[in-house]
Amino acid sequence: MTETVEDRIARVAFNGDGLVAVIIQQWDTREVLMLGWMDAEALRRTLGEGRVTFWSRSRQEYWRKGDTSGHIQLVRGARLDCDGDAILVQVDQVGPACHTGTRTCFDADDLDPVPGPELPA
């Protein structure tokens, strides 16, 4: 029996606002590009259309990445984490992923952590 999109969505542990955190990763280089939020409908659109759709918490509306900028995200894979409360979507990113115009949203503010110890040989 083939699992439906609705069966897959039912496995997601959405938070109290009906949202789940979604990490966007470049499929071939594994570069982490951004984090966004989806509700069940945004996830349904993403899984069914091959383009990433988010729920905008600030605008309270759906937005499909790249519709205005041209910087689209073509879905190449999607995985639910072990707790069901986060999703990894692997994409082929066309243009910058960040609204600031940079390739990734994670290149602006280094928190300068203390490195962990070296692993024993």
Side-chain angles (χ1 to χ4, degrees):
M1 182 169 158
T2 304
E3 186 179 47
T4 68
V5 171
E6 295 308 315
D7 293 334
R8 287 177 264 159
I9 292 170
R11 295 200 319 262
V12 178
F14 293 97
N15 69 18
D17 294 325
L19 301 173
V20 62
V22 181
I23 300 161
I24 303 297
Q25 180 185 50
Q26 176 63 34
W27 75 276
D28 54 352
T29 65
R30 306 294 192 235
E31 178 182 25
V32 176
L33 301 174
M34 62 177 286
L35 178 131
W37 295 91
M38 290 184 187
D39 65 1
E41 179 59 25
L43 181 55
R44 185 175 294 109
R45 293 178 189 187
T46 297
L47 296 176
E49 297 174 1
R51 293 260 316 268
V52 179
T53 298
F54 297 100
W55 174 254
S56 171
R57 295 174 300 161
S58 59
R59 295 187 313 266
Q60 295 289 295
E61 66 184 15
Y62 295 104
W63 60 281
R64 192 168 68 166
K65 185 70 172 170
D67 278 353
T68 57
S69 68
H71 304 150
I72 63 174
Q73 294 174 337
L74 303 170
V75 176
R76 297 295 180 245
R79 301 189 67 84
L80 191 59
D81 82 336
C82 60
D83 296 320
D85 62 358
I87 297 173
L88 174 67
V89 177
Q90 294 176 316
V91 303
D92 198 359
Q93 176 69 46
V94 176
C98 188
H99 70 281
T100 64
T102 59
R103 171 76 180 158
T104 172
C105 294
F106 293 100
D107 63 356
D109 192 3
D110 188 347
L111 298 177
D112 197 25
V114 173
E118 295 293 322
L119 293 174

